[in-house]
Amino acid sequence: MTTPWGRAAEDDPLDGLRAAVTAADCGYEPQGGYEDRCWILHTVHDGPERLRWDEVLSRAGRRLADWPGTLSSLVFEGVEGTHDLEGPDPAEMDRACLARLVDHLVRSGPQGPDTACAGVRAPVATSHEERMLHGERLVARRGRLGDALAHHDAMPDGWFPATWWAADGSWLVLTDFDLNATEVFGDAALIAGLLADPELDAVRHPSIAESLGG
C-alpha cells in the first residue's frame, strides 16, 4: 500500500537544507556536494510520437549542445511548427518520466523504495490557499521514495515538489519553476544510468548557475 507524503514539522531542519530551500524561490540548485549531475528534458509530443529536443531543434538546423542558456521553452524560439507540439511542460516532468526517474533512484540505494525522502514546493508554485493558511512559512513533506508517485497523484493541482532529495544526502532532484527540464544530482552510477536510459531524454548541460554566469 502506498501513502502520499506527510507534512513535515515546521521546525524540521530538512536534513540541513531548510535555509537553502527557503531562500530558493524557484527551487534549490546545490553548488557542489554530489559526484555528478544531468538534466532530464521534459517530454515533447507530436501527436502520439514522442520527440527528443534535438529532433525538434533539427528542424531549424540547430542542436541543444549549442544552446548556452537555461533549459526553458526559449530553446525552441524560431523553430517552425513548435506551436503544434505538446510540451515540454514547465515546472514539472510528466508522470511517465517521474516514474522512470523514481525507478532509477530506487535502484541506486540500499534502502530501495524505503529510502526516506523530503521535498518542498517552490514558493512561486504554492497555491493561494496554502499561502493564506500557512502565511509565508515553508511547506515541506516527508515520505518513502516508493510513495513518490502516490504523492504525485494525490496533489490537487498537479505540482510535484520542486526540490526533493534523499534524507541521507545521496541524491537531489530539482525542477526549477521557470524551466522545462529537471536536474538530478547524485553519484556517477545513477547519472550514467539516466543518461543511458532510452525512455528518458537525459543530457549533460550547464547548470542554472553556470548558464546565468553565476
Side-chain angles (χ1 to χ4, degrees):
M1 179 177 178
T2 57
T3 305
W5 296 352
R7 191 181 299 274
E10 290 184 12
D11 60 353
D12 187 329
L14 300 178
D15 311 305
L17 293 178
R18 177 170 284 276
V21 296
T22 300
D25 289 343
C26 296
Y28 166 62
E29 182 183 53
Q31 302 301 306
Y34 295 91
E35 190 174 14
D36 204 356
R37 62 176 181 80
C38 72
W39 289 91
I40 298 175
L41 308 178
H42 296 177
T43 307
V44 179
H45 281 101
D46 185 358
E49 182 183 5
R50 189 192 72 178
L51 301 176
R52 292 180 176 272
W53 285 28
D54 265 333
E55 291 178 287
V56 179
L57 290 170
S58 69
R59 299 176 178 185
R62 289 157 48 186
R63 303 183 310 154
L64 183 61
D66 298 326
W67 174 260
T70 56
L71 294 169
S72 71
S73 58
L74 293 176
V75 171
F76 301 106
E77 280 195 346
V79 180
E80 187 175 352
T82 54
H83 294 299
D84 298 323
L85 302 177
E86 179 186 350
D89 291 337
E92 185 177 47
M93 63 171 57
D94 63 39
R95 191 182 190 281
C97 285
L98 176 62
R100 197 76 176 177
L101 171 58
V102 168
D103 187 52
H104 280 274
L105 296 173
V106 164
R107 297 198 306 267
S108 73
Q111 301 302 314
D114 291 326
T115 300
C117 300
V120 297
R121 295 170 68 190
V124 293
T126 303
S127 69
H128 175 71
E129 290 77 12
E130 280 188 326
R131 284 181 177 270
M132 290 294 290
L133 181 62
H134 302 287
E136 295 301 316
R137 294 194 298 271
L138 189 73
V139 177
R141 296 185 181 274
R142 284 194 177 276
R144 297 170 61 251
L145 176 57
D147 292 336
L149 289 177
H151 183 64
H152 171 277
D153 295 343
M155 297 291 284
D157 52 3
W159 296 111
F160 198 70
T163 311
W164 49 293
W165 61 90
D168 66 4
S170 57
W171 50 262
L172 180 144
V173 179
L174 161 69
T175 304
D176 185 291
F177 191 79
D178 288 336
L179 302 186
N180 300 70
T182 290
E183 196 171 13
V184 183
F185 300 80
D187 64 29
L190 169 63
I191 303 307
L194 293 171
L195 290 168
D197 189 334
E199 297 301 316
L200 294 173
D201 193 1
V203 300
R204 294 195 182 279
H205 191 80
S207 67
I208 299 169
E210 290 168 342
S211 293
L212 297 177

